[in-house]
Amino acid sequence: MTTSSSERGVSLGMPELPAPAYPDDVRARLETDAREVIARYPDSRSALLPLLHLVQAEEGHVTRTGMRFCADVLGLTTAEVTAVATFYTMYRRRPSGDYQVGVCTNTLCAVMGGDAIFDELQEHLGVGNGETTGDGKVTLEHIECNAACDFAPVVMVNWEFFDNQTPASAKSLVDDLRAGRPVTPTRGARMCTFKETARVLAGFPDEREGAVESGGSAGPASLVGLKLAKGETSAARVVHPRGEAARTGAPHEPSPTEHLSSHDAPQDTSASDPAHPAGPTAEEGE
């Protein structure tokens, strides 16, 4: 005896209908912007990434309608556009908040308190990872390394940095965002909404007064290594193995060839081990 698919609890469903088009006035406006974007590239296909930001600026996330629009103006299939839109995490696939609050939980930020910040924000906001508050203001997510380890733990809002955060400062930050109070990143211009950020990422001018002049740059901690490499700062002091400083008393000033690190003590190398001196590397086959 055979059973039907419905009896087995399997639903074949109906094929998904084509995405609806934008209203005529919206499409006309987006086509004007799209032509400007496409004109920047010798191959129109190269405009897909900024065009996805453009449609994201329209609705706050990349909808099926937005992907259909990109496909139409670039002469691509919706499958080709979907493949790109689903690859990059910077494109949202579902409705999200005005402010994307990302807490770095990668190694160093986690050790410095990122995990605690993320846990407290989940409880404070009443949402989980990738979820949005009921007022539509904040979407919380944990994110990978933001290349700002010297300011750990780091929180980002719409890709702007908030450095050296604590659970208390992070909760104050999201409270200010939800209340509409002015918020200024540690490095960069004052906050704007995610839709406004998406339009800037699409390559259109940032029209906020003073935004360009106050744009983000590397902070002092990030520039120390560069200055050291250029000989613009005095040599850093090596961190001693635990307890050594107490035994020897005076700090040790390293020579230029010694290991300079704010995290690690110098390790034994062939240069410091007479039993295993460094020598020229033998060529293969010798």
Side-chain angles (χ1 to χ4, degrees):
M1 177 180 178
T2 60
T3 58
S4 67
S5 60
S6 59
E7 291 173 327
R8 293 194 301 269
V10 177
S11 176
L12 299 179
M14 292 293 293
E16 190 172 37
L17 296 174
Y22 283 121
D24 290 343
D25 59 329
V26 174
R27 184 178 178 90
R29 172 167 47 80
L30 289 176
E31 284 179 342
T32 300
D33 289 339
R35 284 194 293 270
E36 181 178 337
V37 172
I38 294 170
R40 303 170 190 159
Y41 300 91
D43 183 347
S44 63
R45 187 190 184 102
S46 299
L48 178 54
L49 294 182
L51 285 185
L52 285 169
H53 282 299
L54 177 65
V55 297
Q56 185 160 250
E58 185 66 29
E59 299 179 83
H61 66 294
V62 177
T63 63
R64 293 175 59 238
T65 296
M67 288 189 282
R68 172 183 170 181
F69 171 82
C70 292
D72 288 346
V73 297
L74 294 176
L76 302 175
T77 65
T78 54
E80 289 173 310
V81 174
T82 301
V84 174
T86 57
F87 180 82
Y88 295 102
T89 57
M90 59 191 176
Y91 301 122
R92 309 295 171 179
R93 297 299 311 284
R94 57 184 179 181
S96 54
D98 293 335
Y99 300 100
Q100 306 283 330
V101 176
V103 182
C104 181
T105 55
N106 218 317
T107 306
L108 185 57
C109 277
V111 169
M112 296 296 288
D115 283 339
I117 291 174
F118 184 69
D119 290 343
E120 292 215 20
L121 284 182
Q122 286 189 99
E123 182 177 354
H124 183 65
L125 296 172
V127 297
N129 181 46
E131 296 179 352
T132 303
T133 54
D135 58 7
K137 292 292 185 180
V138 170
T139 296
L140 178 67
E141 61 181 350
H142 69 75
I143 50 181
E144 294 300 321
C145 183
N146 288 302
C149 302
D150 38 3
F151 297 102
V154 172
V155 172
M156 294 194 82
V157 181
N158 295 352
W159 316 123
E160 299 289 356
F161 286 101
F162 290 82
D163 302 322
N164 302 309
Q165 292 295 293
T166 65
S169 67
K171 286 188 286 188
S172 177
L173 168 61
V174 296
D175 287 345
D176 287 342
L177 292 171
R178 298 182 73 183
R181 290 187 284 268
V183 171
T184 302
T186 308
R187 292 169 280 146
R190 63 176 177 80
M191 290 303 309
C192 61
T193 67
F194 185 67
K195 287 182 179 181
E196 292 171 319
T197 300
R199 184 168 176 82
V200 173
L201 291 175
F204 293 94
D206 191 334
E207 298 178 352
R208 294 173 294 160
E209 184 177 356
V212 176
E213 291 76 12
S214 60
S217 62
S222 300
L223 297 176
V224 169
L226 177 61
K227 291 180 179 179
L228 182 61
K230 292 182 176 180
E232 297 177 5
T233 61
S234 59
R237 183 171 67 85
V238 172
V239 176
H240 294 281
R242 185 173 298 171
E244 181 178 320
R247 294 194 302 270
T248 59
H252 166 65
E253 292 297 330
S255 71
T257 60
E258 286 183 292
H259 180 77
L260 299 176
S261 171
S262 61
H263 298 290
D264 305 308
Q267 303 297 308
D268 289 338
T269 65
S270 58
S272 63
D273 186 358
H276 299 86
T281 302
E283 296 291 335
E284 184 177 356
E286 293 185 356

